[in-house]
Amino acid sequence: MDCGTGPAPAKLPERCISREPTSGRLVMLCRGRKGFQYIAGERMPEAYNRALGLSYEQVEAMEYGALFGFDEELADPDRVRQVREELGLPVGPIGAAPAPPPSRPAPRPTATPALPEDIGNFAPWFEEALAQGRKKR
């Protein structure tokens, strides 16, 4: 797909890769064009965009522009950077952000106490519970 150059700010890349919001399929976004084109690929969008040397702000501005128009405020990477910084989200080149902390392994289950041999006879406690219920009435 030939993206050409649209009326979007020159700060935006010619193209970037994202995921279509409802299906999760890979899509290519072109500067200055609303909408997207489905593409085939195996990698995550971040890997493609990192290879293109893009920043988080550029990709997010492209996504916003493709959905709402490139004349909107958040189709500007500088404005997106301000918002991302306010929210504590990574900014700058994709992949330059510190890796998230590794997840902790799930705790090991504690040993369950051994059950008595005869657990099939519920009658004694069941009768007691019924009796307690009758007393409350």
Side-chain angles (χ1 to χ4, degrees):
M1 175 180 185
D2 178 31
C3 283
T5 56
K11 300 175 227 175
L12 292 176
E14 183 179 336
R15 68 179 56 94
C16 74
I17 306 301
S18 186
R19 292 216 180 262
E20 196 266 323
T22 55
S23 72
R25 291 177 55 192
L26 284 177
V27 294
M28 181 169 50
L29 310 175
C30 292
R31 177 176 56 202
R33 288 193 188 163
K34 281 184 84 172
F36 51 83
Q37 178 180 359
Y38 289 106
I39 61 171
E42 301 284 324
R43 300 186 295 175
M44 298 294 290
E46 293 80 14
Y48 291 105
N49 294 327
R50 187 178 321 114
L52 292 169
L54 304 182
S55 69
Y56 291 100
E57 304 86 76
Q58 288 175 311
V59 173
E60 195 166 320
M62 289 281 288
E63 291 169 342
Y64 197 87
L67 289 173
F68 302 106
F70 285 89
D71 56 342
E72 295 292 327
E73 179 183 14
L74 287 176
D76 179 1
D78 294 333
R79 178 65 180 121
V80 172
R81 183 181 196 94
Q82 292 173 346
V83 172
R84 289 182 70 88
E85 286 174 342
E86 288 171 11
L87 296 173
L89 297 172
V91 294
I94 293 175
S103 61
R104 294 182 178 172
R108 292 185 176 192
T110 57
T112 56
L115 296 174
E117 289 293 322
D118 182 19
I119 63 170
N121 187 357
F122 295 113
W125 69 264
F126 185 70
E127 290 295 330
E128 185 178 330
L130 282 176
Q132 293 292 331
R134 286 185 193 126
K135 287 181 185 176
K136 290 182 183 178
R137 288 185 189 173

